[in-house]
Amino acid sequence: MSKLRLLTAAGLALALSTGAALAQGTLRIGMTASDIPLTTGQPDQGGEGQRFTGYTLYDALINWDLSSADKPSGLVPGLATSWAVDATDKTKWTFRLRENVKFHDGSTFDANAVVWNLDKLLNQQAPHFDPRQSAQGRTRIPAVASYRAIDPLTVEIVTRVPDATLPYQLAWIFYSSPAQFERVGRSWENFARQPSGTGPWRLASLAPRERAELVPFADYWDKARVPKLERLVLVPLPEASARTAALRSGQVDWIEAPAPDAIPSLRQAGMQIVTNAYPHNWTWHLSRVEGSPWNDIRVRQAANLAVDRDGIKELLSGLAIPAQGFFPPGHQWFGEPKFKLRRDLVEARRLMTAAGYSATNPMRTKILISPSGSGQMQPLPMNEFVQQNLAEAWIRVDFEVVDWNTLINIWRAGARHESSRGATGMNYTYFIQDPFTGFIRHLQSTLAPPAGTNWGFYADPDMDKLFDEIRNTFDPAAQTRVLQRVHEKYVDDALFLMVTHDVNPRAMSPRVRGFVQAQNWFQDFSPVFMAPR
């Protein structure tokens, strides 16, 4: 048994030693993260952090509707009941806030709290500015230029340029209690142990790398979403085999991303396997800095033609949707790309020959990957499979494996930063639910690090013009047509290695009831309850 597995098993035993004593209303979840996501308001650990310590402990001004499994999620009022852009000045937005909302500590949420929270992310001169939270949240809201409280229940946000994607950006930003920050000695470290948000759950206890326990917030403003469970326990289990073993033994009741080869036997044992299409892709993000081999479109297209996507689906026991583009087939923004993703080694080798490569002179690249993580699916076997595919097209790949949270930090630092270790690509999966997070943040030239998350430093004036057109198109139907043109360029220029889309599998005990798996990276745990034994 590997050292990592021994440590994981030891940590699991410690974390779940009281499992038998937990009440029937307790749900224990094995996460893919290696640690409890940050609890101060802007979680780390990617989308999984937002899922488990974001939309549980906190709210955004604008929330995602997580109530349906049958349709893609849309935006709904959260801490703001309404929002509108000024008819004459498209940079000015007004947000009307919800009345009588309380933080977990009993203090009142208001416009001043909104300003205070935006300052903690964007204003380095603010006494409560938090570099850790800023690293998570600042790049989520690049449109924001200024903000102010107009009255206790009204906030104005001004964008740098007209930007129709602002509501989607704000759905990533959560609101912590200023009063609690004062109460714990103006220390974010102390706040992490005793956080106070406005969400449907409160943090009852926290043991880093072992477990976090959440309990219902009875005074939550949306009475329909006050949790039914008595307790929600989060356990970090980054190894798929350890998660599966924990579910089989009854140490947890629910696991994220079960090992695909274990699913038939889990079903046979009576476990529920829940899947749904959701806005996700599994890609390699390619470096476009000077000297990168991926600057040649022939190489990028050849790599995309070398991948056996049906083989990946088989590897995952059918739990995948083979990529036909950056967005899944049938998506309203897919458009009509001319370059067709398929397995075509003859054409791939023709392109590589034209680019100056051969079996005796292969292209060489180093790719950063993680052993687990939010949305990463089964990254080690999947990347090894892709590595073998690309070798057949004369692309020799070396991997450097880093922890998921480390990979996130490298992604934010950019391909030119020393933390990228000379890699010319990284396996990074993406939330592609809205125009900003799905398209703009990856490739806009002005969003290269440290200004944003264009990790590869891609720059194309034609793409920038399309992104500006998205921002200036406030009519949804017209915006859809622009988004289709953007997606066509993503695919025709082979801007990523596009491999597959996840179906977000979860395995859970038959006692878990009431869960609705939304077509979203985030989920609502409020309706869930545990049936009696």
Side-chain angles (χ1 to χ4, degrees), residues 68-92:
S68 174
D70 301 324
K71 60 183 180 181
S73 296
L75 297 178
V76 293
L79 295 176
T81 57
S82 65
W83 53 94
V85 65
D86 190 280
T88 59
D89 183 351
K90 297 296 187 183
T91 67
K92 289 186 178 180

Side-chain angles (χ1 to χ4, degrees), residues 5 16 48 214 232 307 330 378 412 442 444 498:
R5 188 168 296 178
L16 301 175
E48 190 168 54
L214 283 61
L232 175 64
V307 176
Q378 308 297 328
R412 290 200 173 98
H442 306 310
Q444 176 141 357
M498 296 164 277

Side-chain angles (χ1 to χ4, degrees), residues 190-231:
N190 292 342
F191 191 99
R193 293 190 290 269
Q194 303 176 62
S196 177
T198 64
W201 299 87
R202 294 186 297 107
L203 184 69
S205 65
L206 173 65
R209 295 192 176 274
E210 293 179 10
R211 68 192 289 140
E213 298 193 8
L214 283 61
V215 295
F217 179 41
D219 293 329
Y220 185 57
W221 56 266
D222 185 352
K223 298 306 178 187
R225 289 191 58 229
V226 173
K228 293 181 170 59
L229 288 166
E230 296 171 29
R231 192 167 293 260

